[in-house]
Amino acid sequence: MTSPHCSLMPLSLVTPTRILGGLEGRGCCPDPLPTLCPPPDDSGHPLFRAAAARGVCKVMCFHPHSDLTLPLMSLLEIRAVIDAWAELEAELGASYPWVQIFENKGAMMGCSNPHPHCQVWASSFLPNEARLEERTQRQHHSQHGVPMLLEYAEQEAQRKERLVVENEDWLVVVPYWATWPFQTLLLPRRHVLRLRDLCDSERDSLASIMRRLLIKYDNLFQVSFPYSMGWHGAPTGPHLREDCGHWQLHAHYYPPLLRSATVRKFMVGYEMLAQAQRDLTPEQAAERLRALPEVHYKLRPQEPVCGAAQVLLVEPGAVLNKPTSKVPLTVPCWLLAH
C-alpha cells in the first residue's frame, strides 16, 4: 500500500532522482533537510572553534509500499537493498572519508515518515564513533595481530550464550558490552572491510539473517519493532589507499523497547550522568530472542486474544447450567517473564 500523505512514496512531490536495483520504488534522492551544512563563523576563541563539515545526505527507499518493512519483504527485495547500500558506499566513498548508512525505524526512534527507508550521510571527516572504533581496532590489531571483531565473532560462535541467529557467513549476537535491552551486533565470519567487498553468496546470506533477526524483533512484543541501526566499515576516500586491515565490517542494532510494545528503556539519571546500567543481562536478552519463532506473527494463524469474550452457541430452549470450572486464561509468554 501507499499513502497520499507519504512524501517518499512513488510519484510524490519528492521524486527519487535515481532508481537503484531496477525495482520501482527503491530510489535514492537528496535529503530535503540535510544535516551537513556550513558552520557559523569562527569567533577565534579556543572554546568556540568551528570547522567546515562538508558532505552529502541522501534518503533511500526500500520498497514502493509504505506499510512494508524489511522483515515482511522477500529475500530478493532485501538483497536489492543490500546491493544498493554497497553501490552507494562505493559511489560516495570514492570522495568522502566516511559513509554512514543508517535506518531509524518507528516513531519512537524519531522517524517522521512511515515509508520504509534509510539515510546515507557521507562526510568530509570521521565522526566520533568512527574515530573511536578506528582507534580501538587499530590498537587491538597492533597488540594481537588479528582484527578485534573477527576474533570476537569467533569467540561468540564458540560460546553461543549470547548468540541469537547464525548461518554459514554471518552471526548475530547480543554483544558482551550491550547497554540497550535487546541490542544486537551483526558480524561476518570472514575478514571483510566494507559492504562492497561482500560476494554474491554473502549478500544472499546477509539478506536471510537480517530477515530472521528482524522477524524475531517484531515477534518479541508482536509489534513493528522500533530501532536505530547502521553499518560501520573501514573508512573510505583517502583511506582507500591505506592499510585498513584492522577494520571489520559490522552492523549495530539499537532497539529501545524493554518490557512491552509501549514500555521502553530510558537512559536517564545515573545512566546519563555516570554510567549505563542494564535491565537484562546480554545472556538473558539473547535467550529470549533466540527462543522466538522465525515466522512473522502477522503471517502465522490467528491466536486467541487474551481476555476476549467467549460465545457459546446452543439450541433454542436449551437450559444452561452454571459451569463447574473456570476457563483457563491464556497469557503471552513474555508477560509471565515479568
Side-chain angles (χ1 to χ4, degrees), residues 209-228:
I209 203 166
M210 282 177 55
R211 188 171 71 167
R212 290 170 64 194
L213 170 65
L214 298 180
I215 286 174
K216 284 179 177 289
Y217 270 163
D218 281 10
N219 285 343
L220 181 60
F221 300 127
Q222 295 199 358
V223 68
S224 185
F225 207 68
Y227 58 76
S228 282

Side-chain angles (χ1 to χ4, degrees), residues 16-92:
T17 58
R18 179 163 64 105
I19 300 298
L20 300 173
L23 296 178
E24 180 184 2
R26 183 171 295 101
C28 186
C29 63
D31 192 329
L33 298 172
T35 297
L36 295 169
C37 302
D41 293 337
D42 191 341
S43 68
H45 193 283
L47 294 180
F48 301 96
R49 290 180 297 174
R54 297 181 302 276
V56 174
C57 295
K58 291 181 177 288
V59 177
M60 187 187 111
C61 297
F62 292 158
H63 199 276
H65 291 175
S66 296
D67 59 347
L68 198 63
T69 56
L70 283 170
L72 293 171
M73 289 166 57
S74 70
L75 290 178
L76 180 62
E77 291 168 333
I78 300 174
R79 166 64 195 266
V81 170
I82 294 168
D83 288 340
W85 283 343
E87 180 184 338
L88 277 169
E89 179 199 68
E91 175 189 323
L92 298 174

Side-chain angles (χ1 to χ4, degrees), residues 5 25 35 38 54 86 100-101 130 330:
H5 305 293
T35 297
R54 297 181 302 276
Q100 183 60 67
I101 298 168
T330 302

Side-chain angles (χ1 to χ4, degrees), residues 8-316:
L8 295 180
M9 66 176 287
L11 305 180
S12 68
L13 294 178
V14 182
T15 304
T17 58
R18 179 163 64 105
I19 300 298
L20 300 173
L23 296 178
E24 180 184 2
R26 183 171 295 101
C28 186
C29 63
D31 192 329
L33 298 172
T35 297
L36 295 169
C37 302
D41 293 337
D42 191 341
S43 68
H45 193 283
L47 294 180
F48 301 96
R49 290 180 297 174
R54 297 181 302 276
V56 174
C57 295
K58 291 181 177 288
V59 177
M60 187 187 111
C61 297
F62 292 158
H63 199 276
H65 291 175
S66 296
D67 59 347
L68 198 63
T69 56
L70 283 170
L72 293 171
M73 289 166 57
S74 70
L75 290 178
L76 180 62
E77 291 168 333
I78 300 174
R79 166 64 195 266
V81 170
I82 294 168
D83 288 340
W85 283 343
E87 180 184 338
L88 277 169
E89 179 199 68
E91 175 189 323
L92 298 174
S95 304
Y96 294 98
W98 189 254
V99 180
Q100 183 60 67
I101 298 168
F102 65 97
E103 178 193 5
N104 293 327
K105 181 189 174 193
M108 192 175 288
M109 302 310 295
C111 182
S112 59
N113 196 305
H115 199 103
H117 70 282
C118 71
Q119 299 181 59
V120 185
W121 293 6
S123 61
S124 60
F125 60 95
L126 290 187
N128 292 345
E129 291 296 316
R131 292 172 63 187
L132 177 60
E133 290 194 2
E134 160 68 23
R135 183 171 68 252
T136 55
Q137 290 182 97
R138 184 180 291 276
Q139 288 175 349
H140 185 91
H141 191 271
S142 176
Q143 294 172 4
H144 302 282
V146 62
M148 181 178 68
L149 290 179
L150 181 61
E151 182 179 9
Y152 177 71
E154 293 171 350
Q155 287 293 315
E156 289 287 26
Q158 294 174 11
R159 297 168 185 259
K160 296 191 179 302
E161 58 189 340
R162 287 173 291 274
L163 188 67
V164 178
V165 288
E166 63 178 331
N167 60 26
E168 63 275 14
D169 299 313
W170 301 86
L171 69 157
V172 175
V173 301
V174 178
Y176 181 74
W177 56 87
T179 54
W180 292 96
F182 297 100
Q183 175 181 338
T184 54
L185 184 68
L186 172 57
L187 294 159
R189 292 186 183 271
R190 76 171 180 95
H191 189 201
V192 183
L193 298 184
R194 303 175 180 93
L195 282 167
R196 71 180 81 176
D197 300 326
L198 297 174
C199 65
D200 281 343
S201 62
E202 289 170 330
R203 296 184 186 199
D204 288 340
S205 58
L206 175 56
S208 173
I209 203 166
M210 282 177 55
R211 188 171 71 167
R212 290 170 64 194
L213 170 65
L214 298 180
I215 286 174
K216 284 179 177 289
Y217 270 163
D218 281 10
N219 285 343
L220 181 60
F221 300 127
Q222 295 199 358
V223 68
S224 185
F225 207 68
Y227 58 76
S228 282
M229 70 80 62
W231 285 98
H232 284 171
T236 51
H239 302 280
L240 292 171
R241 298 183 293 272
E242 301 174 358
D243 180 8
C244 294
H246 52 288
W247 270 89
Q248 175 74 330
L249 177 70
H250 59 283
H252 297 278
Y253 284 84
Y254 297 114
L257 294 182
L258 174 58
R259 293 190 178 91
S260 72
T262 56
V263 178
R264 59 164 295 166
K265 165 78 172 179
F266 289 96
M267 293 287 188
V268 296
Y270 185 89
E271 295 172 304
M272 182 179 290
L273 297 167
Q275 182 174 323
Q277 302 295 301
R278 282 201 58 91
D279 300 88
L280 295 171
T281 67
E283 295 76 21
Q284 290 171 333
E287 183 179 9
R288 289 185 62 182
L289 290 173
R290 194 165 53 239
L292 291 167
E294 295 188 9
V295 177
H296 199 278
Y297 73 92
K298 289 185 176 181
L299 304 180
R300 298 202 302 268
Q302 190 70 29
E303 298 177 355
V305 178
C306 178
Q310 292 191 340
V311 178
L312 181 64
L313 300 179
V314 298
E315 294 292 333

